[in-house]
Amino acid sequence: MASALVHYTAAAVTDRGRKRSSNEDAFGISVEHGVYLVCDGMGGAAAGEVASSMAVDEMLRLLTSRALAAPLNLAAEEAVRAANEAIFSRSQRNPKLRGMGTTLVGLLVEESRVLVLNIGDSRCYRLRNRTLEQLTADHSLVDELVRMGRMTPADALRSPLRNVITRALGTQKEVAPDIFEHQAEPGDLFLLCSDGLTRELPDSLIESLLAADSSLDELCSRLVSAANKAGGNDNVTCLLVRAA
Ligand code: MG
């Protein structure tokens, strides 16, 4: 087939979980512009909420108003740079927000071309032919130790250091996202999620839940319910994008 036309549909659910008093996760969707984002904020008091919602708002604003001629990866880098700058400078001006930051995982699509952006330990997965593949690498201390062969994946899950992330949006003057490029195929299902999902559920369970023949809304709800049933220790956000 010569046609490269791929259509996307999306759904998302975010939930406070069972232990936290507030929800510092945020998500953003513009199907029209092919922009999908999940952010998991961090910082004292309500600062995490401010950081994650600022990141989503800034990224959406910049990526939905970009000149159509701008190449997607340059637009993505510029949006990350500007969102980082906005969060960082606000935290410098307001002592209550000092040190705030957020993870960012994003999916930007243009026809069948897919860019995955990542900063921090939220994740992007792709389910293709019923097989789940993680498309991002966590910027976390334990993941780096595992990659260096100095910690086993099993120890990483239990480590007291597992909350330490090595890259975040808004905590420093500059930050560079990982950017991965993929080609979407009809039937692909992309999952963007916060660590409130992946800390509670093994990939094998996420894979089997996603393989069900259900609506995206239903799939999001089932993932969130499963995370809450498994402990619900953190805010949990799932955003699904299906290519057809
Ligand atoms: Mg979290």
Side-chain angles (χ1 to χ4, degrees):
M1 286 204 302
S3 170
L5 271 186
V6 180
H7 296 281
Y8 297 91
T9 49
V13 170
T14 187
D15 190 86
R16 187 161 54 86
R18 296 170 58 199
K19 308 282 169 69
R20 302 286 174 92
S21 58
S22 62
N23 190 349
E24 303 198 329
D25 286 0
F27 68 84
I29 294 178
S30 171
V31 176
E32 185 193 350
H33 295 92
V35 181
Y36 308 91
L37 307 161
V38 166
C39 293
D40 178 350
M42 67 208 75
E49 249 173 291
V50 174
S52 61
S53 61
M54 272 186 84
V56 166
D57 292 349
E58 281 293 294
M59 293 289 294
L60 268 183
R61 186 176 66 76
L62 293 158
L63 290 167
T64 59
S65 63
R66 77 190 175 94
L68 284 174
L72 193 56
N73 46 344
L74 293 184
E77 280 173 17
E78 174 56 22
V80 168
R81 196 201 58 71
N84 184 71
E85 157 87 34
I87 297 166
F88 183 71
S89 65
R90 185 159 166 198
S91 78
Q92 296 300 106
R93 291 193 305 271
N94 185 340
K96 286 199 182 110
L97 301 176
R98 186 81 27 102
M100 72 173 171
T102 180
T103 70
L104 167 73
V105 65
L107 195 72
L108 308 182
V109 303
E110 206 170 53
E111 301 294 350
S112 62
R113 187 172 176 222
V114 172
L115 291 191
V116 178
L117 310 183
N118 186 51
I119 297 171
D121 65 353
S122 298
R123 290 182 182 171
C124 178
Y125 292 87
R126 181 188 61 206
L127 186 79
R128 176 179 282 176
N129 301 325
R130 297 182 168 259
T131 303
L132 192 71
E133 187 185 343
Q134 187 178 332
L135 302 182
T136 50
D138 293 352
H139 300 136
S140 70
L141 189 57
V142 292
D143 242 59
E144 289 183 13
L145 291 171
V146 168
R147 283 197 287 273
M148 288 160 66
R150 290 171 52 190
M151 187 179 264
T152 66
D155 288 341
L157 284 174
R158 289 188 298 267
S159 169
L161 299 173
R162 68 185 188 280
N163 287 324
V164 180
I165 66 169
T166 50
R167 236 189 273 186
L169 191 70
T171 53
Q172 276 169 326
K173 233 183 158 97
E174 288 177 13
V175 70
D178 286 342
I179 301 185
F180 307 95
E181 182 157 353
H182 295 274
Q183 288 294 318
E185 293 177 5
D188 281 351
L189 182 59
F190 295 90
L191 166 67
L192 306 180
C193 61
S194 60
D195 66 339
L197 183 78
T198 52
R199 296 268 184 94
E200 303 290 6
L201 306 181
D203 286 3
S204 56
L205 180 55
I206 297 174
E207 182 179 76
S208 65
L209 287 168
L210 286 178
D213 184 18
S214 307
S215 72
L216 296 184
D217 285 311
E218 183 62 37
L219 292 176
C220 285
S221 299
R222 278 188 211 153
L223 289 170
V224 168
S225 301
N228 280 332
K229 211 182 256 176
N233 289 293
D234 193 4
N235 308 144
V236 52
T237 302
C238 296
L239 191 165
L240 288 171
V241 182
R242 176 143 25 221

